[in-house]
Amino acid sequence: QVQLVESGGGLVQPGGLLRLSCGTPERIFSTYGVGWYRQAPGKQRELVARISSRKSGHIADYADSAKGRFTISGDNSKNTVYLQMNSLIPEDTAVYFCNAGYYTEEGLDPILSWGQGTQVTVSS
C-alpha cells in the first residue's frame, strides 16, 4: 500500500516557522489532490490545507485556523507538496500527516494508508 512520507517537523518557539514536506509518487502528484492534516492529543484528525492535482493547476485552500499563516504548494520537479507554516502558536502543536485523494465539497477523501506523520511542537 502506498504511503506518503512526511518530514520537516520539530520544536519551535511561538511565532516561529517550519516547512513540512510530503513526497509523493509522480502518478499521485499529477492526478490527485493532496492534503495536510493534523492531529493533536485527544482530538480528531483535521484537514489543515489542501491542494489540487498538478493536472488541475495546484489550487490551494485552507482551514480557517491556517488562513493567513500557512501556505501549501506543489513542486512539480520534485513531486513534493510543502506546507509552509509561519507565526506558529502553541495550538498548532500536533502530528502532521499528508494524504492524497479526491476533493469533496468540504475537504479531501483520502485514498492512501496513513503514514507516521511528523511531530510539530510549538512551545517556549
Side-chain angles (χ1 to χ4, degrees), residues 47-52 59-63 67 72 103 105-107:
L47 180 65
V48 174
R50 63 179 184 173
I51 189 167
S52 64
I59 298 170
D61 57 353
Y62 303 90
K67 286 178 181 177
I72 189 171
Y103 262 46
E105 185 172 342
E106 295 184 355

Side-chain angles (χ1 to χ4, degrees), residues 1-102:
Q1 183 83 22
V2 175
Q3 289 181 341
L4 305 184
V5 179
E6 306 95 345
S7 63
L11 173 64
V12 63
Q13 292 187 343
L17 56 86
L18 283 173
R19 188 179 76 161
L20 307 183
S21 299
C22 174
T24 70
E26 191 279 336
R27 62 181 177 85
I28 297 291
F29 186 78
S30 63
T31 306
Y32 296 95
V34 174
W36 277 101
Y37 300 75
R38 67 186 181 187
Q39 187 167 20
K43 294 188 177 181
Q44 288 190 334
R45 189 174 294 164
E46 62 172 345
L47 180 65
V48 174
R50 63 179 184 173
I51 189 167
S52 64
S53 69
R54 184 178 64 198
K55 291 180 180 179
S56 298
H58 284 324
I59 298 170
D61 57 353
Y62 303 90
D64 288 343
S65 60
K67 286 178 181 177
R69 299 189 300 126
F70 295 1
T71 302
I72 189 171
S73 61
D75 185 330
N76 292 335
S77 66
K78 298 181 179 179
N79 295 328
T80 299
V81 175
Y82 299 103
L83 185 68
Q84 177 68 45
M85 304 188 296
N86 299 332
S87 302
L88 285 161
I89 59 177
E91 289 76 13
D92 294 319
T93 295
V95 180
Y96 284 70
F97 304 86
C98 61
N99 209 320
Y102 300 101

